[in-house]
């Protein structure tokens, strides 16, 4: 009974489904709508085929009417309790403590039916083991899985089940529980990674705000102090009727004020300019939400010699636009590759950002306003944009080039 369900696309609000009917399932996906809960229940019901053995036992006529009716009712209750765990774990209005009631009911039915109706019902312990791995906290789940398998062995020996049957049922019971425990740990790790990526994006934005605050403090602190001093001097010269000296101080004040305004505009412009590090963190979050694996060049997070601030900002815009296109138009895409490299062109050395996905490709559609605006941004810094189908017409490739400045630091 794995928590597997449909994942929302980033452009969907409040869990509503898009017109294309695109559904993606992955472990630990959140449930926000009743439809998503129903889909998750259907996925969980797939594992009910293991109940074929108890059903077959009821239909062979080995039991009297009372035993058959009792077994059928208990089997329905068992399945309902099993599915109720999905509802409890994915509904905010239901207390999580109720899942232990369902688990106790599962364990009780598994023991009672196995003793009363025969060893064919020992398969119910497999479901009980899986549920123990899911609902019990931490390493207690491993103890629960082992204990469930131990109870299965004791009940099987008590009812006279042969050793081959015990091994055939007990081994899957133990392994299924351990596998579900591992899956739960994986789901937890995936959730923590998504939260960490979100935190990294917020930290990057916070770092930019701190940088702006430091720059403004340094710029305005010095400039305003100088203006205050020169204003005081101008007042003294005016009191002393030294008009020429006062006029010179006022001219200096005007020059300092204009330079301060220019410096503030440059600082704010740098703050508004996106960076590759921030856009890479945002890309991870957006693609992960769309269930698209991001294969990113680790050099994207490093400062590249020769890559100026304006050029790096243009590449960051290119990365943002490429990821937006993959999320919005790459229906069916499962992988997105981002690579940063250098190349020599006729007009010198260039940095190249290449983003490729394995979706259906652009088809016959014309480039939108996003690509046109991106092409203009790149042209402003002396770069260019190449966009079109990827290898063999499958997927979409966006290739942005910007010139690298001479010198080891790019200054």
């Amino acid at each position: 009974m794995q928590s597997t369900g449909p994942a929302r696309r980033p452009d969907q609000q409040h869990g509503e489904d898009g017109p294309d009917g695109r559904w993606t399932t992955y472990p630990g996906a959140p449930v926000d709508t009743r439809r998503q809960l129903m889909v998750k229940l259907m996925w969980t019901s797939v594992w009910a085929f293991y109940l074929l053995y108890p059903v077959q036992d009821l239909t062979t006529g080995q039991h009297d009417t009372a035993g058959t009716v009792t077994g059928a009712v208990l089997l329905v209750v068992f399945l309902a309790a099993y599915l109720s765990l999905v509802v409890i774990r994915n509904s905010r209005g239901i207390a999580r403590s109720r899942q232990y009631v369902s688990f106790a009911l599962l364990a009780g039915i598994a023991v009672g039916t196995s003793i009363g109706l025969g060893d064919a019902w020992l398969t119910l312990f497999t479901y009980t083991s899986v549920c123990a791995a899911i609902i019990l906290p931490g390493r207690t789940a491993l103890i629960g899985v082992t204990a469930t398998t131990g109870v299965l062995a004791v009940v099987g020996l008590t009812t006279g089940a042969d050793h081959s049957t015990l091994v055939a049922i007990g081994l899957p019971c133990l392994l299924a529980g351990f596998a579900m425990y591992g899956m739960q740990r994986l789901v937890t790790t995936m959730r923590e990674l998504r939260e960490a990526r979100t935190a990294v994006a917020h930290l990057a934005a916070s770092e930019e705000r701190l940088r702006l605050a430091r720059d403004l403090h340094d710029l305005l602190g010095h400039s305003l102090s100088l203006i205050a001093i020169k204003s005081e001097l101008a007042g003294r010269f005016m009191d002393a009727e030294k008009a020429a000296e006062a006029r010179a101080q006022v001219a200096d004040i005007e020059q300092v004020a204009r330079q301060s305004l220019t410096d503030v505009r440059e600082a704010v412009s740098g703050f508004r300019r996106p960076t590759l590090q921030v856009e890479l963190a945002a890309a991870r979050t957006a693609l992960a939400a769309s269930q698209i694996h991001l294969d990113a060049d680790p050099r994207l997070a490093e400062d590249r010699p020769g890559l100026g601030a304006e050029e790096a900002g243009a590449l960051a815009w290119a990365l943002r636009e490429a990821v937006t296109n993959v999320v919005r138009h790459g229906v069916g895409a499962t992988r997105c590759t981002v690579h940063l490299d250098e190349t020599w062109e006729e007009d010198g050395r260039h940095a190249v950002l290449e983003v490729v996905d394995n979706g259906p490709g652009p088809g016959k559609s014309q480039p939108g306003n996003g690509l046109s605006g991106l092409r203009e941004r790149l042209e402003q810094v002396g770069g260019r944009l190449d966009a079109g189908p990827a290898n063999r017409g499958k997927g979409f490739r966006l290739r942005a080039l910007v010139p690298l400045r001479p010198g080891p630091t790019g200054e």
Side-chain angles (χ1 to χ4, degrees), residues 20 34 62 66 92 95 99 104 131 235 254 312 341 351 392 401:
D20 60 357
R34 185 172 299 177
Q62 298 181 10
R92 297 182 178 89
Q99 64 185 350
C131 293
E254 180 183 2
D341 205 346
R392 301 178 181 177
L401 291 86

Side-chain angles (χ1 to χ4, degrees), residues 354-362 387-398:
E354 186 175 79
V355 183
V356 183
D357 68 78
N358 63 346
N391 294 333
R392 301 178 181 177
K394 295 183 179 180
F396 186 78
R397 174 187 284 113
L398 185 145

Side-chain angles (χ1 to χ4, degrees), residues 119-120 122-126 152 164-174:
D119 55 12
L122 291 173
T123 54
L124 299 186
F125 280 97
T126 302
L152 181 152
S164 60
T165 301
L166 287 178
V167 172
I169 299 177
L171 189 59
C173 176
L174 183 65

Side-chain angles (χ1 to χ4, degrees), residues 336-408:
C336 178
T337 302
V338 181
H339 188 67
L340 182 64
D341 205 346
E342 296 182 9
T343 185
W344 281 92
E345 300 289 331
E346 295 179 355
D347 52 347
R349 192 164 58 104
H350 288 70
V352 183
L353 177 72
E354 186 175 79
V355 183
V356 183
D357 68 78
N358 63 346
K364 297 181 180 180
S365 61
Q366 298 297 321
N369 294 328
L371 291 179
S372 301
L374 178 59
R375 183 173 283 105
E376 294 175 358
R377 287 181 183 275
L378 291 169
E379 290 175 352
Q380 290 177 357
V381 297
R384 69 172 185 270
L385 174 69
D386 297 326
N391 294 333
R392 301 178 181 177
K394 295 183 179 180
F396 186 78
R397 174 187 284 113
L398 185 145
R399 194 166 181 262
L401 291 86
V402 295
L404 289 172
R405 300 177 182 181

